[in-house]
Amino acid sequence: RPNQLLWATVHNANHDAKLVANNEAPLELALEAGYRGLMLDACLCNDGNGNSVLQFCHTICELGSRNANEVFTNINTFLR
């Protein structure tokens, strides 16, 4: 049953290491290492032109964000 399983999970898996890294490796390497739970924080970040775009970041986009399409494409590639 699902409540009897345990998945290794990466907290803030999307976080870029521009200022402070939450993880030693990007989420793509976490998948290769066997992690299957990815906690991803979605937010609307400014693209520099006054437009809001969906990104993965942790509260402050300027401290590190990842393009949502890129992240989902990389996860999908791994799963295939």
Side-chain angles (χ1 to χ4, degrees), residues 17-69:
K18 285 186 179 178
L19 183 61
V20 178
N22 283 324
N23 303 294
E24 293 182 14
L27 70 91
E28 292 83 358
L29 292 179
L31 287 168
E32 291 178 21
Y35 289 90
R36 294 299 179 262
L38 302 174
M39 297 174 80
L40 301 169
D41 297 332
C43 62
L44 292 174
C45 297
N46 188 318
D47 69 355
N49 297 317
N51 302 311
S52 293
V53 294
L54 180 64
Q55 299 278 338
F56 289 121
C57 72
H58 188 60
T59 309
I60 302 172
C61 299
E62 293 77 22
L63 295 181
S65 62
R66 300 264 325 258
N67 178 285
N69 287 332

